Amino acid sequence: MHSCRFLRVPLFQPNALCFFSQTPHLLSVKPISSIPVRNFSSQMGSSPSSSSSKLLFRQLFEKDSSTYTYLLADVSHPDKPALLIDPVDKTVDRDLNLVRELGLKLVYAMNTHVHADHVTGTGLIKNKFPGAKSVISRASGSKADVLIEPGDRISFGDLFLEVRATPGHTSGCVTYVTGDEPDQPYPRMAFTGDALLIRGCGRTDFQGGSSKQLYESVHSQIFTLPKDTLIYPAHDYKGFSVSTVGEEMTYNPRLTKDLEEFKKIMENLNLAYPKMMDIAVPANLVCGLQDPAC
């Protein structure tokens, strides 16, 4: 795991060059505005600011686990730096071929949490695309090149993602949100992992899950975003591809209830044990490869 100098900067300072510290992660959910910011930069030169059209975005799907992988890139930057969110091992070749076809430079392969239903593609990506760094939350307990905490920024070119802690499905879940500045994409985009699904949410009965914590995470960290913020989850099982904060605040059949009713709903889901869990979780704790030096 790489290390580098720790730097705290004001919330809306332009991109700085820093990575992560060794300070313990706090599991309590805090408003994003109250958390110091650390910038994770791809260390490429800056380019002139432009409109949100600088963002290249692709939503990719893996059918066996019903997983969405997201490709984002700053195509206004000379190097076209890119990142992948929640890659799956089975579709790594497809994803990397797309990166190459579009002339992008992959700098980060990121996970929203330690998945239990598929093996992450981050380890394979690091082997096939030297220079790409793996990213996951410090609270996940997983190994990665970059361990993120609430309030951190992941920069790729002149674009960035904010890190919001959204535990409850697992103790290490985070949501990645596009930046809130004039030169960032509009409407904003939230990559919610399993914390918030379209008209649903992730289960809370294993991996340190907590119905109360998930409810509070979604309401404090996602439902406080602008209502036109686009919701992109890690999975969908009904054919949906995108929602908005406003839609989920109105129509989500679980998270529109009060906390006590939500807890009862989650306690009575009676879901089967995840068929891939015993394979996926140990692998995903080491970037998807059985290699402690991932």
Side-chain angles (χ1 to χ4, degrees):
M1 184 176 65
H2 297 282
S3 64
C4 88
R5 185 168 58 89
F6 176 81
L7 177 66
R8 295 182 182 274
V9 296
L11 184 59
F12 295 125
Q13 180 174 321
N15 296 341
L17 302 181
C18 64
F19 286 79
F20 53 89
S21 75
Q22 300 299 323
T23 54
H25 175 80
L26 299 179
L27 293 181
S28 60
V29 176
K30 300 179 181 179
I32 193 74
S33 60
S34 70
I35 302 171
V37 173
R38 301 179 301 157
N39 284 352
F40 296 81
S41 169
S42 58
Q43 301 192 54
M44 297 178 181
S46 62
S47 61
S49 296
S50 62
S51 69
S52 60
S53 63
K54 69 173 64 175
L55 175 69
L56 179 146
F57 172 70
R58 298 289 186 270
Q59 183 179 42
L60 308 166
F61 190 66
E62 196 284 308
K63 63 180 182 178
D64 291 340
S65 59
S66 298
T67 299
Y68 284 122
T69 296
Y70 300 98
L71 172 65
L72 289 78
D74 182 353
V75 292
S76 73
H77 190 283
D79 293 305
K80 297 184 178 179
L83 55 82
L84 284 164
I85 299 174
D86 288 333
V88 180
D89 62 341
K90 294 180 180 179
T91 49
V92 161
D93 287 339
R94 176 202 65 185
D95 299 347
L96 293 184
N97 285 339
L98 180 59
V99 168
R100 294 186 182 101
E101 287 173 356
L102 296 174
L104 309 176
K105 182 173 183 178
L106 187 66
V107 293
Y108 295 122
M110 307 163 58
N111 283 297
T112 53
H113 63 291
V114 173
H115 301 276
D117 45 20
H118 68 268
V119 175
T120 178
T122 52
L124 290 173
I125 288 169
K126 280 165 55 64
N127 283 342
K128 293 173 178 283
F129 212 108
K133 290 183 170 64
S134 56
V135 179
I136 200 166
S137 72
R138 186 181 297 278
S140 70
S142 178
K143 294 181 179 293
D145 296 318
V146 180
L147 299 178
I148 52 171
E149 299 186 18
D152 288 346
R153 281 184 176 181
I154 306 294
S155 296
F156 54 111
D158 292 323
L159 302 177
F160 66 90
L161 297 176
E162 296 176 357
V163 178
R164 295 190 174 212
T166 48
H169 170 62
T170 74
S171 58
C173 287
V174 296
T175 291
Y176 299 113
V177 185
T178 55
D180 184 20
E181 293 183 9
D183 62 345
Q184 301 298 308
Y186 180 83
R188 299 181 74 181
M189 308 161 77
F191 301 92
T192 57
D194 288 16
L196 178 63
L197 306 178
I198 298 173
R199 307 302 192 265
C201 62
R203 61 195 294 176
T204 58
D205 57 335
F206 59 84
Q207 284 185 279
S210 164
S211 298
K212 180 177 184 292
Q213 194 173 40
L214 179 60
Y215 187 91
E216 292 173 348
S217 293
V218 172
H219 280 265
S220 67
Q221 299 298 306
I222 300 175
F223 284 178
T224 53
L225 290 164
K227 290 185 179 181
D228 61 354
T229 300
L230 299 170
I231 298 295
Y232 290 103
H235 302 282
D236 188 81
Y237 309 98
K238 299 179 181 179
F240 294 111
S241 60
V242 62
S243 183
T244 67
V245 167
E247 281 185 37
E248 296 309 312
M249 290 177 69
T250 303
Y251 301 116
N252 191 294
R254 299 178 184 176
L255 289 155
T256 51
K257 306 296 191 292
D258 64 30
L259 175 57
E260 292 307 312
E261 190 169 356
F262 175 75
K263 289 165 64 176
K264 290 179 182 177
I265 292 171
M266 300 306 289
E267 288 168 2
N268 291 284
L269 291 179
N270 298 316
L271 298 173
Y273 187 81
K275 62 181 180 180
M276 283 287 294
M277 183 169 176
D278 293 338
I279 297 172
V281 171
N284 292 338
L285 287 171
V286 287
C287 295
L289 296 176
Q290 297 300 334
D291 177 1
C294 79

